[in-house]
Amino acid sequence: MDVERVIDELYGLRPSEFTAARDAYAAEARRAKDTRAAKTIAALRRPPLAVWAANLLARERPEEAERFLGLGEALREAHRTLDGEALREASRQRNRLVAALVRTTAGLAEEAGQHPSDAVLGDVETILHAVLALPDVAGPWAKGRLTAMPESAVGFPAAPEGTPPARPPAAARARKTPEEPAAARARKTPEAPAAARARKTSEAAAAARAEKARKAAAEAEATLVRRERERDTAREAEAAATEAARKAADRLRRAERERAEAEEAAAEADRAAAEAGTALRTADHALDEARAASEHAEEKARRTEG
């Protein structure tokens, strides 16, 4: 069995179709005595809806996926340089692109007959951020084979506070007017310490809640996988027991047929013995009569001669 082809096919199915198809392929491999393939396929994890939707995006929009992966490489490089202005611009570009791809994913899922909720689309957004930040997530996603929510599904950190922005080109400095718009001045107004602390506390609490939810989802997924494996083991044991019972029943039927044939043969032998006994008694009687007749004839002959 071509395991890679099977894996690619399974992760292209909707989640509701995954388990039955996986079990069918695993059973087919077992019937073919391909133990390694059967174990590999049986161990495959059913992807959650958000993971399936993210895989669908990579499968159905390969060119956009390739550009997105290129952005991830560029972002990682920009973050290594610690250029604050570049990081902030890259972050804005990333957020716009991720939002656009989430909308595309929602449309693709609808076309495939699924109706992802806002929570599911939020998970898709989390996955896409992880694809940008983590190469070990980007690899499976690029093949449309991501199996679960990434354990560390986080994006790039924000630009460090106080990181000096890169100096703009001379032409840009020359074009800058002395009077900046009020909105621009407002954006540059330093955040009050108390407000900054409250914002950071709120963000930390939200991040903690999100991490707790991700861990709970990972634990639930692990439990599901474990239960599926236990079910597969029980199913294999049931199949083996059923086969053993069938063979025992076949042996019992053969033994019953042989016993019936032996009983019939014994009855036939008994009938033949009875008939032979009757024939023997008839022959003995006839012999006795013949002997008596012979003796009588001899006695009569002697009397005649005397």
Side-chain angles (χ1 to χ4, degrees):
M1 180 175 289
D2 186 345
V3 175
E4 288 299 311
R5 178 190 62 79
V6 170
I7 293 174
D8 192 62
E9 177 182 335
L10 289 176
Y11 282 107
L13 299 175
R14 290 181 294 183
S16 60
E17 302 168 334
F18 180 90
T19 302
R22 180 201 60 195
D23 292 349
Y25 274 121
E28 181 181 340
R30 285 192 291 270
R31 287 194 297 271
K33 309 300 183 184
D34 192 343
T35 305
R36 180 176 297 179
K39 289 183 177 179
T40 299
I41 294 170
L44 295 175
R45 303 171 64 183
R46 178 179 60 83
L49 183 58
V51 174
W52 166 81
N55 285 337
L56 183 65
L57 173 65
R59 288 170 177 268
E60 296 296 324
R61 297 289 190 272
E63 294 181 358
E64 294 180 34
E66 185 176 355
R67 289 195 295 271
F68 190 62
L69 293 171
L71 174 62
E73 295 177 1
L75 281 167
R76 290 191 291 274
E77 178 61 27
H79 193 267
R80 281 192 293 271
T81 65
L82 292 178
D83 185 332
E85 184 63 27
L87 284 173
R88 282 185 282 271
E89 176 56 33
S91 179
R92 287 191 290 270
Q93 180 183 356
R94 174 197 64 196
N95 292 337
R96 288 194 298 270
L97 183 54
V98 167
L101 289 179
V102 169
R103 290 193 295 271
T104 299
T105 302
L108 292 172
E110 292 283 349
E111 291 174 5
Q114 299 296 313
H115 305 285
S117 65
D118 290 342
V120 169
L121 294 178
D123 286 342
V124 171
E125 181 178 353
T126 299
I127 292 169
L128 293 177
H129 281 295
V131 168
L132 290 175
L134 305 172
D136 59 341
V137 176
W141 177 78
K143 297 178 180 179
R145 293 187 184 182
L146 197 62
T147 61
M149 287 292 295
E151 293 183 1
S152 301
V154 294
F156 294 90
E161 291 291 334
T163 302
R167 286 179 60 82
R173 293 198 301 272
R175 287 195 303 269
K176 189 173 181 180
T177 60
E179 292 295 326
E180 293 184 322
R185 290 196 302 273
R187 285 196 298 270
K188 291 187 176 183
T189 302
E191 189 174 15
R197 286 194 299 272
R199 176 179 56 78
K200 290 180 179 180
T201 299
S202 176
E203 290 176 351
R209 289 193 298 271
E211 181 63 23
K212 184 177 180 180
R214 282 194 292 272
K215 288 182 178 179
E219 290 174 0
E221 184 69 16
T223 299
L224 175 61
V225 171
R226 187 167 61 254
R227 294 291 181 262
E228 287 182 344
R229 288 177 179 172
E230 290 172 356
R231 182 207 56 199
D232 291 341
T233 300
R235 182 175 292 170
E236 291 176 356
E238 179 190 23
T242 300
E243 180 64 14
R246 184 188 65 78
K247 291 180 178 178
D250 288 344
R251 290 195 297 271
L252 177 60
R253 284 193 291 271
R254 287 196 299 270
E256 289 176 343
R257 284 197 301 270
E258 291 171 356
R259 183 183 64 182
E261 291 172 357
E263 290 175 349
E264 180 64 25
E268 184 64 26
D270 288 343
R271 287 193 295 272
E275 292 174 357
T278 301
L280 177 60
R281 288 191 295 274
T282 300
D284 286 343
H285 181 69
L287 178 60
D288 289 342
E289 289 180 347
R291 186 179 291 117
S294 175
E295 291 175 352
H296 179 71
E298 288 179 356
E299 180 62 26
K300 184 175 179 180
R302 282 195 299 271
R303 286 198 299 270
T304 301
E305 289 177 357

